[in-house]
Amino acid sequence: MHVDRNPDLELSRRLRLDRVPPAGATLDIEAGDAERDALAKRFGIVALPSLSATVTLRADGEAQWRVEGRLKALVVQACGITLDPVEQAIDEAFVLRFTTQSEEVDRDSGELIVGSEAAEPLSDDALDLGEIVADQLALAIDPFPRKPGVSLADILPPAAPSGAADGPFAALAALKQGQKDEA
């Protein structure tokens, strides 16, 4: 199976739909150093030491395509509290549907399918399985990484006891007290 690459994408493995055999095509993707570095920059993470996926593309009816895969990666991000490096191991399965039809209609009811159940539209005669893996990686990355055992209280200054003379409203309290003394 011939795989093309799009130089504008960090991780590109493009398969033409007309070249996919009837039984489908399985592609093992192992991102190289330059690809992982580019993806780390794209996603704003510290490093991406490993990224691999096995992806299968097969026809799923007339003008319908099914992509099934498993993504494995090791992501290094900065802790949202301490900025120390935090590793996240990712092992995620995914299933996506695509269609070359402009609208997808349910075979049984004849109703238009919309929302999360609808297949993604394809405007091209190819699918980039590498970009699909990159998108799935972006969805799997923890948006709020935190070093184990660390909490926000660890970096905040201790709270002033209530009624403290040097709190943010101490001057207002003194002013109020002065008004009471004059009365």
Side-chain angles (χ1 to χ4, degrees):
M1 166 118 316
H2 179 72
V3 177
D4 295 323
R5 294 189 185 212
N6 181 344
D8 296 331
L9 297 174
E10 297 88 350
L11 183 66
S12 179
R13 306 292 189 277
R14 188 175 151 92
L15 294 179
R16 287 184 42 134
L17 298 176
D18 60 354
R19 293 186 181 166
V20 175
T26 299
L27 186 63
D28 290 321
I29 299 174
E30 185 74 37
D33 292 341
E35 292 169 322
R36 290 192 319 270
D37 290 344
L39 285 170
K41 183 177 179 180
R42 173 179 169 184
F43 299 136
I45 58 178
V46 175
L48 184 59
S50 67
L51 171 61
S52 63
T54 299
V55 184
T56 301
L57 170 63
R58 69 174 49 95
D60 191 27
E62 187 178 332
Q64 303 287 320
W65 297 91
R66 182 179 179 92
V67 176
E68 294 182 56
R70 177 162 294 281
L71 159 73
K72 294 182 180 185
L74 181 62
V75 175
V76 179
Q77 296 176 268
C79 172
I81 296 174
T82 65
L83 301 181
D84 291 336
V86 177
E87 288 186 352
Q88 176 191 5
I90 296 173
D91 185 352
E92 302 251 341
F94 58 90
V95 176
L96 302 168
R97 293 179 44 242
F98 295 89
T99 183
T100 54
Q101 297 173 336
S102 58
E103 294 180 339
E104 187 178 8
V105 177
D106 184 272
R107 292 178 189 152
D108 298 328
S109 68
E111 294 179 5
L112 183 66
I113 299 174
V114 295
S116 63
E117 296 176 11
E120 292 289 322
L122 281 174
S123 59
D124 198 356
D125 63 346
L127 260 173
D128 197 320
L129 301 180
E131 182 60 15
I132 289 172
V133 169
D135 289 345
Q136 295 303 308
L137 173 65
L139 293 171
I141 292 174
D142 184 355
F144 304 106
R146 184 176 291 179
K147 188 175 176 180
V150 174
S151 71
L152 193 55
D154 295 337
I155 64 166
L156 292 177
S162 63
D166 60 347
F169 299 106
L172 291 175
L175 182 60
K176 185 176 180 183
Q177 185 62 37
Q179 290 174 347
K180 285 183 182 178
D181 291 342
E182 291 176 6

